Amino acid sequence: MGPGTGERLLRRLRGILFLAAVAVAWPLVAGWDAAVPLAVASPMVAVGSLVAAPAARWTIAIGLGILVWALWRRRAFCRHVCPVGVLQGACRGRWNHRRGAVARAALKWPIGSWIFLLTLGGALVGYPLFLWLDPLALFGAALNAWRGPVTLCAFVAGIALPAVLLLEMFEPRLWCMRFCPLGAMQDWAFSLARRIGWPFAARAAGRPGPAAIAKDGVGRRTFIGVGIGAAWGAVARASHADARGAIRPPGSVDEDRFTGLCIRCGNCIRACPPQILRQDTLQHGWAGLLAPVASFDSGYCREDCHRCTEVCPSGAIERLGLPEKRRVVMGIARIDESTCLLATGGECTACITQCPYEALAVAESPDGFSSRPRLSLDKCTGCGACEAACPVRPVRAIRVFAPDGGEQGRLQEAV
Ligand code: SF4
Ligand code: SF4
């Protein structure tokens, strides 16, 4: 007997939602980038970012609304909306229909639940530890990764989704049941709602859902997981001095929270018109791996642009209007007078003419016989226009460093 009309309609709806998710994550129209990125639909991203960076953002309402729906219809989000879930449905059990010993053992361990609880605990102290493992973040990161040149970073960012799908081919539903932190979060929230007697959850308890649901409940594990997560998050924040020196997109939260809040979705990198954002390697410490950093080799942060501040789903970059963004300090320029062409008797004024904030001017050297560029620190935003314009090679005579300076900044200051 074929599927009924209701089931056929649901299948069509799933297909439409999946295509919409792909269109948002990977717009086919050149130059169009969705201002509301896909990961805002994730309840885990909404709760994690709301707890860790409680600034008012209307996009959080989308994830919270979906969470309420998940309480009413258990795991309905997983079955009908999550694009990873839809892809998994297409791959499910293609190569294997019997569980192996490893899968049977893994089913006993609620890994996703621990990931979620640790993340929630970390969020309480401003550092949601594993927000980047959210499936919508993995989906967006995978699509974004293959849009540019294939680098090691792109490969690392893009490999997680294929790995989840491969797992689904061998071990059906193992990811959803035991590894996915977003699925575990829905189960946890459902369990909590039932415990406090929320009427939706009480009614939904009678409906079919994943077998493992709400078994663990909200109890000792929650307190242990959240407690360890909070301690871990606090240590992570305190120890991220090694990430100093990275120039983050304008509007980014402080560095000690940024690497926890950024879910590595790549939306800001994709949205940047002059393409000055790229994924960080281990250059600024392991915590910053794949997070966005700015470099000014061939472009600068344009004074007429605030795109990256509009597309961050996690609050790692705060939403800024253009006038506010123009006042944000991304970094500080520093001049090396020993290599600057103007300061060494040449005729170059490239940095002075390119600075959109008029932070550079020609000044007389102390001897009165030569000139040099003078920087007004109160006007410099670290946009990088000067560095991009400087013709000196291989190391430019004017460079931008992170506001905290980092090791390189301190060295440069001493020149
Ligand atoms: S504001 Fe600057 S860093 Fe952000 S997208 Fe625009 S040019 Fe790129
Ligand atoms: S900072 Fe960029 S990569 Fe990180 S979550 Fe925001 S948009 Fe995504």
Side-chain angles (χ1 to χ4, degrees), residues 129-153:
L129 289 160
F130 300 108
L131 211 53
W132 53 275
L133 277 175
D134 180 275
L136 296 196
L138 298 182
F139 184 79
L143 291 197
N144 280 332
W146 308 119
R147 297 182 67 188
V150 179
T151 58
L152 187 60
C153 277

Side-chain angles (χ1 to χ4, degrees), residues 118-366:
L118 291 172
T119 303
L120 183 62
L124 289 172
V125 295
Y127 200 90
L129 289 160
F130 300 108
L131 211 53
W132 53 275
L133 277 175
D134 180 275
L136 296 196
L138 298 182
F139 184 79
L143 291 197
N144 280 332
W146 308 119
R147 297 182 67 188
V150 179
T151 58
L152 187 60
C153 277
F155 181 77
V156 172
I159 201 69
L161 180 65
V164 167
L165 298 180
L166 203 61
L167 179 68
E168 187 70 15
M169 287 181 182
F170 286 106
E171 300 295 349
R173 294 196 174 86
L174 189 58
W175 163 265
C176 286
M177 300 285 290
R178 282 304 179 192
F179 288 111
C180 178
L182 177 53
M185 179 208 185
Q186 292 172 69
D187 295 349
W188 178 86
F190 179 80
S191 196
L192 177 67
R194 213 163 55 155
R195 180 166 283 209
I196 61 178
W198 207 37
F200 277 164
R203 254 180 275 148
R207 296 195 188 115
I213 208 160
K215 235 193 227 165
D216 308 315
V218 180
R220 208 170 40 158
R221 183 190 302 163
T222 295
F223 291 105
I224 295 173
V226 170
I228 294 174
W232 187 348
V235 170
R237 277 189 75 170
S239 65
H240 283 171
D242 62 348
R244 284 157 64 94
I247 302 171
R248 303 296 181 197
S252 296
V253 297
D254 294 340
E255 184 66 29
D256 64 340
R257 283 190 305 152
F258 184 81
T259 51
L261 268 167
C262 171
I263 57 173
R264 283 41 172 190
C265 65
N267 284 328
C268 53
I269 296 171
R270 187 182 84 199
C272 179
Q275 301 197 331
I276 59 166
L277 300 179
R278 57 178 171 74
Q279 283 177 317
D280 204 353
T281 53
L282 292 173
Q283 200 184 353
H284 302 103
W286 60 268
L289 182 66
L290 302 183
V293 278
S295 71
F296 307 113
D297 295 341
S298 54
Y300 70 99
C301 180
R302 283 181 2 199
E303 63 280 17
D304 59 351
C305 175
H306 58 138
R307 286 293 290 133
C308 58
T309 80
E310 293 182 305
V311 298
C312 179
S314 70
I317 307 175
E318 286 164 10
R319 243 181 147 79
L320 298 175
L322 195 52
E324 294 166 287
K325 180 262 163 176
R326 286 171 59 95
R327 289 195 295 272
V328 165
V329 173
M330 290 170 76
I332 301 290
R334 303 224 180 271
I335 304 159
D336 182 350
E337 291 189 2
S338 67
T339 57
C340 168
L341 296 179
L342 183 62
T344 51
E347 294 197 344
C348 176
T349 55
C351 61
I352 297 164
T353 53
Q354 288 303 313
C355 177
Y357 300 98
E358 298 178 349
L360 284 159
V362 179
E364 269 190 8
S365 293

